[in-house]
Amino acid sequence: MERMDDNPSTTKYTLANPHLPGEAYDQITDMQLWELFKAGDKKAFDSIYDRLFQPLCGYGDKICAEKALVEDVIQDLFISLWTRREHLGGTDSIKFYLFRCLRRMLIRRVQQEEKRGNAYSFTSGISFQLELSAKATSTTISDIEEERKKVLNQALHKLTDRQREAIYLKFYNNLSFQEVAEVMEIGVRSVYNLVGRTIDILRADFKKTNPDAELASLPMLLTLLSACLEYA
């Protein structure tokens, strides 16, 4: 790997020597990391695995309650990535790329298992489980009384599976509307509609319990959602 520019903010890399010092893998863009991985850099592959294994488990566990099956599919995903790396396309968001792959693989695997008579906590439309985290570390959230968290949790249970999945991908994993649409295999307009209806439901529930509540405002509600959604 050769540096083309000594300025870290503008450093460019070539594949002349596809290896970097360990800490450097955290300092390059997703696009650069992905290209190194595709070129056969094992450390780049390890970096992707270490960075995204837990987020993938968190997403997969919300689709299927069978944790062992989820982890098995994730392992299959990474094996497939490594063996097919030279034939993969590019990406500037590895999390988005892997979330999309995992969802497809997991749905296909669960459907195959169900045909064999193995029943899992899953429906054809996706049964997306979502709860508030018991460990809210954000200072914004730690100051919110339990009653308000309870209201939000109750509101989340009123949402459809697709609404819960959309807000999880959008607000907790910071995917764009376009990326959410591609992961869920629906149109972008549908994602806007899902998120819009979700926000309306959540705001309405907060206003019922306290019409003057600061959390009924959109910015505070989105902050609460981002900080409180359970990670895994």
Side-chain angles (χ1 to χ4, degrees):
M1 176 68 56
E2 295 177 345
R3 289 192 175 187
M4 306 299 292
D5 187 331
D6 289 330
N7 183 344
S9 64
T10 59
T11 298
K12 297 180 180 179
Y13 302 94
T14 65
L15 297 178
N17 177 22
H19 297 285
L20 288 171
E23 66 278 5
Y25 290 93
D26 294 327
Q27 301 171 8
I28 60 177
T29 67
D30 270 20
M31 185 179 294
Q32 291 168 328
L33 182 61
W34 189 252
E35 290 304 317
L36 287 171
F37 148 65
K38 288 174 55 184
D41 189 333
K42 184 63 166 55
K43 288 184 179 179
F45 176 73
D46 290 343
S47 179
I48 293 170
Y49 182 92
D50 292 342
R51 185 186 304 179
L52 290 172
F53 179 78
Q54 286 302 326
L56 287 166
C57 285
Y59 183 41
D61 288 345
K62 288 171 176 56
I63 297 173
C64 175
E66 187 67 31
K67 291 183 179 293
L69 179 69
V70 171
E71 291 191 11
D72 190 39
V73 172
I74 292 172
Q75 294 294 342
D76 287 346
L77 169 59
F78 277 102
I79 291 171
S80 176
L81 287 174
W82 182 252
T83 56
R84 298 180 58 251
R85 63 188 181 277
E86 295 178 357
H87 306 289
L88 300 176
T91 184
D92 58 1
S93 175
I94 300 175
K95 176 188 278 190
F96 155 66
Y97 189 99
L98 297 190
F99 270 35
R100 182 176 58 179
C101 292
L102 174 63
R103 190 182 191 275
R104 291 174 178 173
M105 289 179 65
L106 187 54
I107 290 174
R108 184 165 59 247
R109 176 68 175 274
V110 170
Q111 290 172 340
Q112 290 171 348
E113 293 295 330
E114 287 180 340
K115 288 180 179 178
R116 298 188 183 105
N118 299 320
Y120 292 106
S121 178
F122 175 88
T123 63
S124 59
I126 242 185
S127 178
F128 199 82
Q129 306 303 313
L130 197 59
E131 300 285 346
L132 292 190
S133 175
K135 299 178 180 179
T137 57
S138 165
T139 55
T140 301
I141 302 308
S142 62
D143 293 335
I144 297 172
E145 62 268 27
E146 286 300 315
E147 184 59 30
R148 288 184 177 179
K149 292 185 196 176
K150 183 179 178 181
V151 171
L152 181 56
N153 207 18
Q154 290 172 342
L156 287 174
H157 282 284
K158 294 180 181 179
L159 304 178
T160 67
D161 292 328
R162 286 202 166 200
Q163 287 172 331
R164 286 194 288 267
E165 185 174 11
I167 64 169
Y168 178 76
L169 293 171
K170 175 60 184 167
F171 298 121
Y172 194 81
N173 287 284
N174 299 314
L175 300 189
S176 69
F177 282 100
Q178 178 66 46
E179 289 171 340
V180 173
E182 292 189 37
V183 170
M184 296 180 66
E185 299 185 284
I186 58 178
V188 178
R189 183 179 294 276
S190 295
V191 176
Y192 277 110
N193 291 337
L194 285 171
V195 172
R197 288 196 296 269
T198 298
I199 296 300
D200 287 343
I201 291 170
L202 298 179
R203 292 178 71 179
D205 272 47
F206 272 112
K207 287 181 178 179
K208 286 179 183 177
T209 55
N210 185 350
D212 299 322
E214 182 184 9
L215 284 176
S217 70
L218 183 57
M220 282 301 296
L221 185 58
L222 297 185
T223 298
L224 179 62
L225 275 173
S226 298
C228 270
L229 291 180
E230 187 180 20
Y231 183 75

